[in-house]
């Protein structure tokens, strides 16, 4: 596996991906990509391309978009605060990368809700409070917006959940 940022930089360069584009103009840094890989939130894989260059490197990620509803309300993530204190406007459905510890997309949804709402550890299990209305999955192959020049395959899940009325 990758041991440090320099090893990741060498791997990307070997794959003709310019790591100097990372961390500029709102894109994420090499350190962020390494952390994603170390935490199992994404991975890198070689794949066979139809282009003459043959083998290429791509990022594999499984994002989960969570539509948590209660009556006619939908939970929206207004902003995201980074560890360095910066704030990024989101105004979108809650989104979470599926982690290796998540059994499935619904488990990732519940983990994301718990983390984003900062629920205490003794909070009742979400599966007792929330019903799954529907789940769908799509696959998309495109360049990563977070990491310029890095082709990515997204196995995207959309989970529609409803907060149960608890008399």
């Amino acid at each position: 596996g990758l041991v440090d940022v320099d090893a990741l930089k060498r791997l990307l360069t070997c794959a003709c991906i310019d790591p100097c584009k990372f961390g500029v103009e709102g894109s994420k840094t090499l350190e962020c990509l390494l952390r994603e890989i170390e935490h199992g939130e994404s991975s890198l894989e070689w794949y066979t391309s139809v282009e003459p260059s043959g083998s290429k490197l791509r990022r594999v990620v499984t994002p989960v978009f969570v539509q948590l509803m209660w009556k006619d309300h939908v939970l929206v993530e207004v902003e995201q605060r980074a560890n360095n204190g910066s704030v990024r406007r989101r105004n979108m459905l809650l989104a979470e990368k599926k982690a290796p510890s998540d059994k499935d997309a619904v488990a990732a949804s519940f983990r994301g809700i718990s983390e984003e709402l900062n629920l205490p550890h003794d909070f009742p299990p979400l599966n007792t409070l929330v019903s799954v209305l529907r789940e769908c999955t799509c696959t998309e192959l495109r360049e990563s917006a977070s990491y310029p020049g890095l082709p990515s395959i997204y196995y995207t899940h959309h989970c529609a959940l409803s907060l149960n009325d608890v008399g």
Side-chain angles (χ1 to χ4, degrees), residues 22 27-29 32-33 36 59 143-150:
F22 293 9
S27 66
K28 292 185 178 179
T29 64
C32 288
L33 179 58
E36 252 184 39
R59 176 174 166 250
E143 184 177 313
S144 168
S146 300
Y147 305 104
L150 179 58

Side-chain angles (χ1 to χ4, degrees), residues 113-135:
I113 291 167
S114 295
E115 288 173 4
E116 295 301 323
L117 297 181
N118 204 15
L119 299 178
H121 293 292
D122 60 350
F123 195 82
L126 285 176
N127 63 357
T128 64
L129 304 171
V130 173
S131 298
V132 178
L133 300 177
R134 67 188 161 280
E135 179 189 347

Side-chain angles (χ1 to χ4, degrees), residues 141-159:
L141 186 57
R142 62 178 164 85
E143 184 177 313
S144 168
S146 300
Y147 305 104
L150 179 58
S152 297
I153 187 163
Y154 296 89
Y155 298 106
T156 305
H157 296 263
H158 296 270
C159 293

Side-chain angles (χ1 to χ4, degrees), residues 25-166:
E25 296 181 12
S27 66
K28 292 185 178 179
T29 64
L30 271 171
E31 290 81 6
C32 288
L33 179 58
L34 183 62
R35 198 168 31 256
E36 252 184 39
I37 294 166
E38 288 174 342
H39 293 160
E41 294 176 342
S42 72
S43 61
L44 296 175
E45 71 177 12
W46 291 99
Y47 70 102
T48 304
S49 172
V50 294
E51 298 170 25
S53 58
S55 188
K56 290 190 160 239
L57 188 68
R58 69 181 172 196
R59 176 174 166 250
V60 180
V61 63
T62 305
V64 179
F65 290 89
V66 183
Q67 182 181 13
L68 178 59
M69 297 171 286
W70 180 69
K71 298 185 179 176
D72 61 346
H73 301 280
V74 177
L75 181 66
V76 173
E77 183 179 15
V78 175
E79 61 186 25
Q80 183 178 49
R81 294 183 189 277
N83 293 338
N84 66 7
S86 66
V87 176
R88 187 171 84 162
R89 288 267 172 239
R90 302 278 283 175
N91 291 321
M92 59 181 275
L93 294 177
L94 183 125
E96 192 68 47
K97 291 182 194 83
K98 186 174 173 292
S101 60
D102 297 324
K103 185 181 114 204
D104 54 25
V106 172
S109 297
F110 288 171
R111 179 176 55 79
I113 291 167
S114 295
E115 288 173 4
E116 295 301 323
L117 297 181
N118 204 15
L119 299 178
H121 293 292
D122 60 350
F123 195 82
L126 285 176
N127 63 357
T128 64
L129 304 171
V130 173
S131 298
V132 178
L133 300 177
R134 67 188 161 280
E135 179 189 347
C136 64
T137 307
C138 64
T139 303
E140 184 179 15
L141 186 57
R142 62 178 164 85
E143 184 177 313
S144 168
S146 300
Y147 305 104
L150 179 58
S152 297
I153 187 163
Y154 296 89
Y155 298 106
T156 305
H157 296 263
H158 296 270
C159 293
L161 309 173
S162 178
L163 190 57
N164 301 332
D165 283 325
V166 287

